Amino acid sequence: MNQRDEFKRIGMRLRQEGLVGANFGNMSVRDGAGFLITRKGAFLDCPEDLVFVPLEGAVPPDASSEYRLHREVYRLTRHRAVVHAHPPHAVAISLHRDCIIPVDSEGEMFCPAIPVVNGPPGSMEMAERAASALKDGVAVIVRGHGTFCGARTLEEGYVLTSIVEHSCRVLLLSQVK
Amino acid sequence: MNQRDEFKRIGMRLRQEGLVGANFGNMSVRDGAGFLITRKGAFLDCPEDLVFVPLEGAVPPDASSEYRLHREVYRLTRHRAVVHAHPPHAVAISLHRDCIIPVDSEGEMFCPAIPVVNGPPGSMEMAERAASALKDGVAVIVRGHGTFCGARTLEEGYVLTSIVEHSCRVLLLSQVK
Amino acid sequence: MNQRDEFKRIGMRLRQEGLVGANFGNMSVRDGAGFLITRKGAFLDCPEDLVFVPLEGAVPPDASSEYRLHREVYRLTRHRAVVHAHPPHAVAISLHRDCIIPVDSEGEMFCPAIPVVNGPPGSMEMAERAASALKDGVAVIVRGHGTFCGARTLEEGYVLTSIVEHSCRVLLLSQVK
Amino acid sequence: MNQRDEFKRIGMRLRQEGLVGANFGNMSVRDGAGFLITRKGAFLDCPEDLVFVPLEGAVPPDASSEYRLHREVYRLTRHRAVVHAHPPHAVAISLHRDCIIPVDSEGEMFCPAIPVVNGPPGSMEMAERAASALKDGVAVIVRGHGTFCGARTLEEGYVLTSIVEHSCRVLLLSQVK
């Protein structure tokens, strides 16, 4: 399967599960001395041409506005793919916590402590904090914004995103007693 | 893509994301000295023929019953498309607030203050209040009824609708502590 | 469109909107001196052959186990179609109320007071109470069980079901303050 | 329909209803002196080749990591199919209860008392407890993990899973007063 088809397959799954709405979110995969990222404003389930962004140097103007975060992840970590989504339970719970500790078995196994960082979307400040959290981890939430998962493949990044949202949803639902 | 296909594409997305159910909601685009609007009772994901409504003069009987609001928006504002949906979290939160202040980053960026107005659906009273709110804004909620988003295109109106619902959902979920 | 295709179209919409899960729910349309109803255990989105049930006399063994309720509606009211679903918010709210008063504009317009009745699913007792409520109304909830909507067509019955669930969901969400 | 197509059909329904996300969950059917189970890490809606696991003896390395539980069910009970999913409301409610008593009519009829057991996912300890609960029952929840339903067919196992989640969702929603 070529890259674009794989982006589309994962984008469709992210949308069908309610992990992104509208044209929220973006995704990338490491590619040589840079990475391929979704276009600015693209719908993840209908990706148009992907944009190559080098690790150093000028960035094409049509790259996703979150390219700084993706670039820092590829500079600072070993991850080969990054998936960014806006799952509603993860976003809501991030408003009140600095670190999320899942109580369901998948969360406990795959992301036992999910850090929450601050910073304006698209900023270098946020990019550095999130990338730093992904050095030793696989998932981070930018407060009030969304999840970033680092993985070997887009599929793995999507699975992690799904786990984070499931864990946050279970945490919130378990408050209703 | 012709107009009807574009209405269908956006209608399907609105429905798949749960922003409208059944045959709720309606949409229009500016067209010369009037606008094209969905038919009364049409399912947004299966639009039949669109109906042309002039800015002045007689209105075809099969135009959406909300045509007054759409007409006022085209008379009073620069918007070129209007999307009306019934997202459940936005409708619920509108019952208790006069203005909704998003706390998530997309809401803060694209609709930092969402006014709530009163008025019976389909009435001239509601049409004027909502259109007035869209003069300087892109989204308004009619209390207990639904969202109206003004935009350059149907796609942009849908994206705004999705953002408003996401912001309201995050606000409600963040109350569960 | 033939009857079976219409049942399938409406069944698919009911399922896609989360108004029924698995093989929950059933539907029927008046047909001469009886009615056509979904088969016992059928998935509404994959209806097999429909079953004809006469208003008087023996009932085929493969008719939906809720045939009594449908039969009473056709005996006692003018409705020409009945849609039964299990929408989660409507079922939940019915546990604590004897009558549901919508606060959203669609509910206020189309079903301003939704009675809740008791009775074991499939029983004659429940059938009579629900049919009685549908004499002057279009929707009733059997407590802890589900909605029954009477209408002119399956499509109208589905739209009413969607409105009832939307109203109940808005009522429940508006409790989260 | 061959086995793989049937696994795919049920897997798609489980996913569409939100009973599993990502590559969560697994399923099996009894087959002679063993059972056919989904592959480790498989997406239930896109099952690849199924894996045969004998009731006694070596287990192929690519069988689902939950094979112990499935095997114990086939050893200790008469069930002919097992469906394991991660429905969010069932998982959340299992954190606070040792036995779930549905208050909706489907739950009351099909699974009037749903036991909750403890144990690490994939462990022999959990397998024995869950299989033991399925001797006289059709559904069990492993705390904080997910549902296991024993049935005659995959379809029946899926329907039970849907009922358990519906019952748990109604229980949780009915707490919002």
Side-chain angles (χ1 to χ4, degrees):
Chain A
M1 195 181 290
N2 70 34
Q3 286 284 19
R4 193 164 141 185
D5 287 348
E6 181 63 359
F7 272 73
K8 184 180 177 69
R9 182 177 78 89
I10 297 301
M12 287 179 71
R13 294 187 81 95
L14 286 165
R15 178 158 189 263
Q16 286 160 356
E17 285 188 34
L19 301 168
V20 295
N23 59 355
F24 291 169
N26 38 72
M27 302 189 283
S28 67
V29 293
R30 195 187 283 272
D31 185 49
F35 55 97
L36 287 167
I37 192 167
T38 45
R39 200 171 283 275
K40 194 179 287 182
F43 287 81
L44 293 193
D45 58 331
C46 302
E48 300 158 52
D49 290 341
L50 302 171
V51 181
F52 178 80
V53 176
L55 291 190
E56 306 289 342
V59 174
D62 52 354
S64 162
S65 61
E66 303 263 27
Y67 73 84
R68 285 184 190 83
L69 190 146
H70 292 256
R71 197 174 55 185
E72 289 309 295
V73 174
Y74 295 117
R75 281 177 174 164
L76 298 179
T77 79
R78 295 186 183 179
H79 295 302
R80 302 193 58 77
V82 175
V83 172
H84 167 45
H86 293 196
H89 298 84
V91 172
I93 208 170
S94 77
L95 295 169
H96 302 305
R97 306 198 190 188
D98 291 325
C99 183
I100 292 160
I101 309 295
V103 293
D104 68 296
S105 56
E106 275 59 47
E108 287 176 349
M109 195 177 308
F110 294 104
C111 44
I114 309 163
V116 176
V117 302
N118 286 319
S123 70
M124 196 59 200
E125 186 188 353
M126 183 194 81
E128 286 171 354
R129 288 181 189 160
S132 174
L134 290 179
K135 264 190 205 165
D136 303 314
V138 294
V140 61
I141 304 180
V142 175
R143 177 164 290 130
H145 177 46
T147 53
F148 288 89
C149 292
R152 282 168 298 182
T153 61
L154 285 182
E155 181 176 296
E156 195 179 278
Y158 143 61
V159 170
L160 285 164
T161 305
S162 181
I163 292 174
V164 171
E165 174 66 350
H166 182 70
S167 293
C168 292
R169 192 173 179 194
V170 167
L171 274 170
L172 278 177
L173 286 173
S174 71
Q175 305 298 315
V176 182
K177 285 174 230 182
Chain B
M1 194 182 289
N2 70 34
Q3 285 284 18
R4 195 165 140 185
D5 287 348
E6 180 64 358
F7 272 73
K8 184 180 178 70
R9 182 177 78 89
I10 298 300
M12 287 180 72
R13 295 187 80 96
L14 286 165
R15 180 160 188 261
Q16 286 160 355
E17 285 187 34
L19 300 168
V20 296
N23 59 355
F24 291 168
N26 38 72
M27 302 189 281
S28 66
V29 293
R30 194 187 283 272
D31 185 47
F35 56 96
L36 286 167
I37 192 167
T38 46
R39 200 172 283 275
K40 194 179 285 183
F43 287 81
L44 293 192
D45 57 332
C46 303
E48 300 158 53
D49 291 341
L50 302 171
V51 181
F52 177 79
V53 176
L55 290 190
E56 306 289 341
V59 174
D62 52 354
S64 163
S65 61
E66 304 263 26
Y67 72 83
R68 284 184 190 83
L69 190 144
H70 293 256
R71 197 175 54 186
E72 290 309 294
V73 174
Y74 295 118
R75 280 177 175 165
L76 298 180
T77 80
R78 295 184 183 183
H79 294 303
R80 300 194 60 77
V82 175
V83 172
H84 167 45
H86 293 196
H89 298 83
V91 172
I93 209 170
S94 76
L95 295 169
H96 302 306
R97 306 198 190 188
D98 292 325
C99 184
I100 292 159
I101 308 294
V103 293
D104 67 296
S105 56
E106 275 59 47
E108 287 176 349
M109 194 178 307
F110 292 105
C111 45
I114 309 164
V116 176
V117 301
N118 285 321
S123 70
M124 196 59 201
E125 186 188 352
M126 183 194 82
E128 286 171 353
R129 287 180 189 160
S132 173
L134 290 178
K135 263 191 206 165
D136 303 313
V138 294
V140 60
I141 304 180
V142 176
R143 177 164 289 130
H145 177 46
T147 52
F148 288 89
C149 293
R152 282 167 299 181
T153 61
L154 285 183
E155 181 175 296
E156 194 179 278
Y158 142 62
V159 170
L160 285 165
T161 305
S162 181
I163 291 175
V164 170
E165 174 66 349
H166 182 70
S167 293
C168 292
R169 192 173 178 193
V170 167
L171 274 170
L172 278 177
L173 286 172
S174 71
Q175 304 298 315
V176 182
K177 285 175 229 180
Chain C
M1 194 182 289
N2 70 34
Q3 286 284 17
R4 195 165 141 186
D5 288 348
E6 180 64 359
F7 273 73
K8 184 180 178 69
R9 182 177 78 90
I10 298 300
M12 287 179 72
R13 295 187 79 96
L14 286 165
R15 180 160 188 263
Q16 286 161 355
E17 285 187 33
L19 301 169
V20 296
N23 59 356
F24 290 169
N26 38 72
M27 302 189 282
S28 67
V29 293
R30 194 187 284 273
D31 184 47
F35 56 96
L36 287 167
I37 192 168
T38 45
R39 200 172 283 274
K40 194 180 286 183
F43 287 81
L44 294 193
D45 58 331
C46 303
E48 301 158 52
D49 291 341
L50 302 170
V51 181
F52 178 80
V53 176
L55 291 190
E56 306 289 342
V59 174
D62 52 354
S64 163
S65 61
E66 303 263 27
Y67 73 85
R68 286 184 189 82
L69 190 145
H70 292 255
R71 197 175 55 186
E72 290 308 295
V73 174
Y74 295 119
R75 280 178 175 164
L76 297 180
T77 79
R78 295 185 183 181
H79 294 302
R80 300 194 59 77
V82 176
V83 171
H84 168 45
H86 293 196
H89 298 84
V91 172
I93 209 170
S94 76
L95 295 168
H96 302 306
R97 307 200 189 186
D98 292 325
C99 184
I100 293 160
I101 308 295
V103 293
D104 67 296
S105 56
E106 276 58 48
E108 287 176 349
M109 195 178 306
F110 293 104
C111 45
I114 309 164
V116 176
V117 302
N118 285 320
S123 70
M124 195 59 200
E125 187 187 351
M126 183 194 81
E128 286 171 354
R129 287 181 188 159
S132 174
L134 290 179
K135 263 190 206 166
D136 303 314
V138 293
V140 60
I141 303 179
V142 176
R143 177 164 289 131
H145 177 46
T147 52
F148 288 90
C149 292
R152 282 167 298 181
T153 61
L154 285 183
E155 181 176 296
E156 194 179 278
Y158 143 61
V159 170
L160 285 164
T161 305
S162 181
I163 292 175
V164 171
E165 175 65 350
H166 181 70
S167 293
C168 292
R169 192 172 179 195
V170 166
L171 274 170
L172 278 177
L173 286 173
S174 70
Q175 304 299 314
V176 181
K177 286 175 228 180
Chain D
M1 195 182 289
N2 71 33
Q3 287 284 20
R4 194 165 141 185
D5 288 348
E6 180 64 358
F7 272 73
K8 183 180 178 69
R9 181 177 78 90
I10 298 301
M12 287 180 71
R13 295 188 78 96
L14 287 165
R15 179 158 189 264
Q16 286 159 356
E17 285 187 33
L19 300 168
V20 296
N23 58 355
F24 290 168
N26 39 72
M27 301 189 282
S28 67
V29 294
R30 194 187 283 273
D31 184 47
F35 55 97
L36 288 167
I37 191 167
T38 46
R39 201 171 282 275
K40 194 179 287 182
F43 287 81
L44 293 193
D45 57 331
C46 302
E48 302 158 52
D49 291 341
L50 302 170
V51 181
F52 178 80
V53 176
L55 290 190
E56 307 289 341
V59 174
D62 51 354
S64 162
S65 61
E66 302 264 28
Y67 74 84
R68 286 183 189 84
L69 190 146
H70 292 256
R71 196 175 55 185
E72 290 309 295
V73 174
Y74 295 118
R75 280 177 175 165
L76 298 179
T77 80
R78 296 185 183 181
H79 295 302
R80 301 194 60 77
V82 176
V83 172
H84 168 45
H86 293 197
H89 298 83
V91 172
I93 208 171
S94 77
L95 296 169
H96 303 305
R97 306 199 190 186
D98 292 325
C99 184
I100 292 159
I101 309 295
V103 293
D104 68 295
S105 56
E106 276 58 48
E108 287 177 349
M109 195 178 307
F110 293 103
C111 45
I114 309 164
V116 176
V117 303
N118 286 319
S123 70
M124 195 59 201
E125 187 188 351
M126 182 194 82
E128 286 170 354
R129 287 181 189 158
S132 173
L134 290 179
K135 264 190 205 165
D136 303 314
V138 294
V140 60
I141 304 180
V142 176
R143 177 165 290 130
H145 177 46
T147 53
F148 288 90
C149 292
R152 283 167 297 181
T153 61
L154 285 183
E155 180 176 297
E156 195 179 278
Y158 143 61
V159 170
L160 285 164
T161 305
S162 181
I163 292 175
V164 171
E165 175 65 349
H166 181 70
S167 293
C168 292
R169 191 173 180 194
V170 166
L171 274 170
L172 278 177
L173 286 172
S174 71
Q175 305 297 314
V176 182
K177 285 175 230 181

